Amino acid sequence: MMAAIRQGAGRWLKESTARERWLLILGGVAVLIWLAFTYAWQPLQERREALGRQIALYERAIVALQAAPVRATAAPSDPRSLNAIVADSAREFGLSIRRLEPEGNRIRVTLEDAAFQSVILWLKAMQEDSGLRASELDMTRRPAPAVVNATLVLER
């Protein structure tokens, strides 16, 4: 069967004009360029952009870590309950809270499969916006890159 197809194609190429052969070659080249762009170049560009966004998040996390640790003036205190403050703030940063355990002016928070840079930026925002600071922090690296489980204690 394949031999018959090959033979028919060879006969067609011999009988075709030079113009038809050139059109076939140009069409083949155009298809190859399209395939290379669609299945090689475009996915590489998308991956590069995703990595660029990830690097930007890491840079923001580094800036947050290098910022002055404590200001001379106290951060504003949020009058809401610690549960509400922590839950709302974590949701804004895309963090998944597994457990909240309030203990007076402290709250123990357990985060699951959280992006490391989001945790750092969240802690900075908690201190600046709500006056809560981390007094204890335990992070465990997950198999995925830059993903952690964290248990921390926030206090006013």
Side-chain angles (χ1 to χ4, degrees):
M1 171 107 175
M2 290 299 290
I5 293 173
R6 228 177 308 169
Q7 191 176 31
R11 190 174 349 148
W12 180 83
L13 279 174
K14 288 179 186 175
E15 294 172 0
S16 64
T17 65
R19 183 177 184 182
E20 289 172 335
R21 284 189 294 260
W22 272 108
L23 285 174
L24 182 63
I25 290 170
L26 289 176
V29 168
V31 167
L32 287 175
I33 290 171
W34 176 78
L35 286 171
F37 178 77
T38 302
Y39 294 106
W41 182 258
Q42 199 171 23
L44 287 174
Q45 285 299 100
E46 290 171 0
R47 178 72 176 143
R48 182 178 179 201
E49 290 172 7
L51 289 173
R53 288 189 298 271
Q54 192 174 14
I55 289 170
L57 284 173
Y58 288 141
E59 288 173 347
R60 285 181 48 208
I62 288 171
V63 168
L65 288 172
Q66 293 173 342
V70 179
R71 295 182 181 154
T73 60
S77 182
D78 195 328
R80 298 180 296 160
S81 72
L82 290 177
N83 283 357
I85 295 170
V86 171
D88 291 345
S89 180
R91 191 176 314 111
E92 288 176 23
F93 284 85
L95 298 172
S96 173
I97 296 177
R98 190 175 79 195
R99 178 184 290 158
L100 287 175
E101 299 173 23
E103 304 165 352
N105 282 338
R106 301 167 37 130
I107 187 166
R108 182 173 302 277
V109 182
T110 304
L111 302 172
E112 199 167 74
D113 294 331
F116 174 76
Q117 67 272 12
S118 295
V119 173
I120 299 301
L121 294 173
W122 176 64
L123 288 173
K124 180 181 181 212
M126 291 297 291
Q127 183 171 355
E128 291 177 352
D129 300 340
S130 304
L132 296 175
R133 65 178 184 79
S135 61
E136 298 174 26
L137 176 62
D138 179 35
M139 285 192 187
T140 307
R141 188 174 71 192
R142 300 291 298 150
V147 176
V148 297
N149 285 348
T151 302
L152 51 120
V153 175
L154 297 171
E155 51 185 46
R156 289 185 186 216

